[in-house]
Structures are given as structure tokens and as C-alpha cells.
Amino acid sequence: MSFYHPAIPIDLHGKALVVPIVSTANIAQLATDLLIASLSLRAIGTFDSRDLVPVIGGREDGQQGVTTPLELFGRDGCDILVIQQRSPVLVSRKQEFIESLLKFIHESRFSAALFLAGVDMSNRTDAQMTTPNYYIRPPNSPPWESSPLSSISQLPIPEYTSPVAQHPGDGTPQNEGPIPFIPGGGLTRRILSNLPSASWSVPTGALVQFVLEGDNRSDASLMAAVVARILSLQVKQWKEPSSWRQGLFGTPHDQTLYG
């Protein structure tokens, strides 16, 4: 069964792909919302959602149809595509989902893939207080030079190192592997660790941001702005999706309840 089902015929080859990972504060999903709204992207296809928690909802601004757990957004004339993931992957289907996602990225021959994730701020060290944003460069990624990710090296974004051990205090030597532990980072580490060593041809990286749960709209704005800098996107004005007004924190309370 096909993993990706296009609704609008758009050539994916050569475009950069942004992939938000369900992680701390859902900051990656919120940043993706801002990219979709500000760049006027529309749903161009859906993914097989058998590996995700079932969810369904209405579309923005009264558009026809319904939203599904995993969709692809883009438009003609725009060099990036973004995936929006609205529900987490089922525990028993993690590896199947990762394999399907990576196969889709590889076969689509994207110019780059940038994963987004939040990291639990309560774990960061004093040295990590200077900036909330960090990058991860998986060892199996092709070189970033001459790719949309090449600008990362010229931006004030340090390389991420884990602030804590994955299994502290168990008395055994710590071997975190090539991808550092990301507390609260969801499947980010596992996805990056599963890049094939020989056949992977898409320059790949991750942008992570230290955050705490709460009203994360400003955090999402920062992450979206950093993504725009990395991918050289021209955003005239950042726009919040209309669903944030009621769907982000629920409908406003009736003020008569408080006298």
C-alpha cells in the first residue's frame, strides 16, 4: 500500500522538506502552522495514517474536506514543502513509520530534509543558556554544502550536545551513539539514527529548540523565523492561522463566571 497519496500533482523533486516531530510543547507543529499560513501553502496530499493515533478535524477558514493525522503542504512557485503531523505515532508502529517516512524522502529526491523538534528546557546546562536553537548533523547525511542547509554554518546556531545522559546513574559506561540524546525530542533521534549509511542521498539535518510547556506561540515564531533564515525563505509578514484563535487554548471563558 502506498505511503503517500497526492491530491494535487506537484513535482516534489528538488524541493526542501520540513518535517515537524511531535515533541516538547508541540513547538514543531506550531512553527509548521506559521509556515503554512505565512507562505499560503495548501494541502497537496495525505499520508497513510495506519501508524499514527487516529484524529480528524476541520480545515482552516471553512475550506472543504477534513484534516488527517499526516499531510503534505506546498504550492507551485514555492521551493519548500512541509509535512504537518497532528497526532503521535503508535508505540507499536514506530519503526514501521520511520521506515516509510525515510523511504518517501529518499524516493522523492528532495534537495534537503530539515526535521524540527522541541527539547525539554529543564534539562539544559549553563553553557546552553546563550541560545535556545541548536542543530544536529547526522553522520550519514550527505554534505550540506551546495544544499539548502548550507547556510546553517553561517548562522549563530551551535551544534547540539545532550545536556543529560539517557540512562544516568545506572553504573554502566555511557555510549550515546552518533546522535545525542534529546530529552523530550520524540522520534527525532531515532529517525536520524535510521538514515541508511550507504544509499542515503538527501542532505538531512535537525533544528531543535529548548522550550517549556505553556503558551508557546512566541517560541514557535522564533523557530519558524530560524527555519526561514536557514532555507532563505522570503516571508513578508508572519501570519497566525485562524484556528489558533479558538483551537489552540479552547474557546474563551464566559467572563460572567467571574462576577
Side-chain angles (χ1 to χ4, degrees):
M1 186 175 181
S2 176
F3 179 62
Y4 175 62
H5 306 278
I8 298 174
I10 290 181
D11 186 14
L12 309 184
H13 174 232
K15 293 182 182 289
L17 179 69
V18 177
V19 186
I21 304 299
V22 175
S23 51
T24 300
N26 284 328
I27 185 176
Q29 279 67 40
L30 295 175
T32 299
D33 273 349
L34 289 172
L35 290 169
I36 291 171
S38 302
L39 296 172
S40 300
L41 305 182
R42 56 178 178 164
I44 62 171
T46 60
F47 295 91
D48 184 355
S49 58
R50 71 176 68 186
D51 301 326
L52 294 94
V53 174
V55 66
I56 196 170
R59 291 207 173 276
E60 293 280 348
D61 302 321
Q63 298 176 33
Q64 290 186 340
V66 295
T67 58
T68 59
L70 200 66
E71 295 181 316
L72 184 65
F73 288 79
R75 62 174 170 83
D76 288 327
C78 185
D79 291 332
I80 75 156
L81 299 166
V82 299
I83 289 177
Q84 182 58 292
Q85 182 181 349
R86 297 186 176 88
S87 68
V89 178
L90 296 166
V91 174
S92 61
R93 301 288 300 179
K94 288 181 179 180
Q95 191 59 35
E96 289 83 357
F97 171 76
I98 291 171
E99 291 173 358
S100 296
L101 177 62
L102 292 180
K103 181 180 178 182
F104 164 73
I105 294 173
H106 177 72
E107 292 181 347
S108 298
R109 296 183 296 161
F110 292 111
S111 60
L114 181 64
F115 292 87
L116 310 179
V119 189
D120 186 356
M121 185 184 288
S122 63
N123 288 292
R124 70 176 176 174
T125 64
D126 290 347
Q128 291 171 324
M129 297 288 185
T130 57
T131 177
N133 296 106
Y134 291 81
Y135 75 85
I136 300 174
R137 183 171 187 165
N140 290 344
S141 168
W144 286 356
E145 293 75 15
S146 302
S147 84
L149 303 181
S150 61
S151 63
I152 291 180
S153 62
Q154 284 143 41
L155 295 174
I157 306 175
E159 186 170 9
Y160 173 79
T161 57
S162 181
V164 293
Q166 185 175 10
H167 304 290
D170 63 1
T172 60
Q174 297 294 319
N175 180 14
E176 299 291 353
I179 307 298
F181 175 52
I182 309 170
L187 290 178
T188 310
R189 186 187 188 203
R190 187 164 174 174
I191 291 172
L192 298 179
S193 299
N194 272 265
L195 297 185
S197 58
S199 61
W200 192 253
S201 60
V202 180
T204 303
L207 175 69
V208 299
Q209 183 170 318
F210 283 101
V211 289
L212 290 174
E213 298 279 354
D215 183 349
N216 298 104
R217 285 174 290 188
S218 60
D219 298 309
S221 296
L222 173 60
M223 175 173 270
V226 174
V227 172
R229 286 289 304 275
I230 291 173
L231 299 178
S232 301
L233 302 176
Q234 301 299 320
V235 181
K236 295 180 180 179
Q237 183 176 4
W238 288 103
K239 177 183 176 183
E240 292 186 358
S242 58
S243 60
W244 281 21
R245 289 194 288 270
Q246 291 189 337
L248 197 59
F249 296 106
T251 55
H253 296 296
D254 182 351
Q255 295 303 307
T256 60
L257 293 172
Y258 307 104

